[in-house]
Amino acid sequence: MRKQAMAAYEYLVPIVKGWSTEMSIDVTSTGVQVHGGMGFIEETGAAQYYRDARILTIYEGTTAIQANDLVGRKTARDGGLVANAFIAQMRATAAELSDAAPDLRAIKAPLVEAIDAYEAAVNYVVANYNSEIRSVFAGSVPYLKLAGIAHGGWQMARAALAAARSLKAPGADVDFLRTKIASARFFADHMLTSVPGLGKSVVQGAPGVLAVPAESF
């Protein structure tokens, strides 16, 4: 059990470092945007948050380094064993959504599509790592982002299921719990839907990356 937990932890490290720090850039950039022109005025603090976030992807070893680690040492090395163990847990959560309330059932379809794309990407990495290593690493960053969003959507779905159960408890904080469910629905509708496209970049995108020889740069 301890060995399995350590393997899961090690697999998640590059995802947490790489995807979370990339997301921080998107979030703080939106923070600047919602302030309009004032977003660049230092008194708001928004621009400082953006600058602080922008360095995180460098401090944490750069996104590409984390992505390469996820592909090589965390996915290909064990033949996708840990990745597929997470995928199995994701499918179990998706199955729970079938008998849930309408908002939760609506999460199921994009979650399943994301899981399918995740599994296809893992299978591609494992099948081609030894024979087409350049093609596999050409899709490493999309693979990292795909994994981050898929794991995030899975956790949001779990939180939504827990919130739905808690709504029935005496003294439940109804507004908070309904907001948790709404947040999960938003993530499914607007984030999980991007995973199949990222999956295509992983599985089919290598020719576009490798088309220009290194000598041309």
Side-chain angles (χ1 to χ4, degrees), residues 24-91:
S24 74
I25 296 171
D26 292 343
V27 170
T28 53
S29 177
T30 300
V32 172
Q33 180 71 19
V34 298
H35 282 84
M38 288 295 292
F40 276 89
I41 306 303
E42 295 304 320
E43 283 80 358
T44 67
Q48 183 62 55
Y49 285 127
Y50 179 80
R51 286 195 296 274
D52 290 345
R54 192 63 191 85
I55 197 64
L56 293 176
T57 57
I58 300 170
Y59 279 157
E60 290 299 338
T62 80
T63 301
I65 295 297
Q66 299 298 341
N68 289 347
D69 178 51
L70 179 63
V71 166
R73 293 193 295 173
K74 304 302 167 57
T75 301
R77 187 166 67 179
D78 71 352
L81 185 66
V82 175
N84 282 310
F86 276 120
I87 288 169
Q89 294 177 62
M90 292 178 183
R91 292 200 185 281

Side-chain angles (χ1 to χ4, degrees), residues 1-10 81-82 86:
M1 188 69 177
R2 184 181 181 88
K3 185 177 180 180
Q4 291 175 334
M6 179 59 71
Y9 155 74
E10 290 176 347
L81 185 66
V82 175
F86 276 120

Side-chain angles (χ1 to χ4, degrees), residues 35-202:
H35 282 84
M38 288 295 292
F40 276 89
I41 306 303
E42 295 304 320
E43 283 80 358
T44 67
Q48 183 62 55
Y49 285 127
Y50 179 80
R51 286 195 296 274
D52 290 345
R54 192 63 191 85
I55 197 64
L56 293 176
T57 57
I58 300 170
Y59 279 157
E60 290 299 338
T62 80
T63 301
I65 295 297
Q66 299 298 341
N68 289 347
D69 178 51
L70 179 63
V71 166
R73 293 193 295 173
K74 304 302 167 57
T75 301
R77 187 166 67 179
D78 71 352
L81 185 66
V82 175
N84 282 310
F86 276 120
I87 288 169
Q89 294 177 62
M90 292 178 183
R91 292 200 185 281
T93 298
E96 290 186 58
L97 296 169
S98 299
D99 300 322
D103 274 339
L104 295 177
R105 290 201 302 271
I107 297 171
K108 181 178 179 179
L111 178 59
V112 169
E113 290 175 0
I115 296 168
D116 290 344
Y118 190 10
E119 185 172 45
V122 170
N123 291 339
Y124 172 80
V125 168
V126 172
N128 293 280
Y129 186 79
N130 290 325
S131 59
E132 298 289 341
I133 193 167
R134 293 178 71 236
S135 295
V136 171
F137 278 107
S140 63
V141 171
Y143 178 66
L144 173 72
K145 292 180 178 179
L146 176 158
I149 297 169
H151 279 266
W154 169 43
Q155 294 302 314
M156 294 288 278
R158 292 183 66 206
L161 285 164
R165 292 191 293 268
S166 297
L167 279 171
K168 303 172 185 177
D173 188 339
V174 174
D175 289 340
F176 171 78
L177 295 171
R178 286 178 176 169
T179 300
K180 293 292 287 184
I181 294 170
S183 297
R185 173 72 184 270
F186 178 89
F187 194 95
D189 289 343
H190 295 275
M191 295 296 292
L192 282 176
T193 49
S194 68
V195 171
L198 289 166
K200 290 181 180 179
S201 294
V202 174

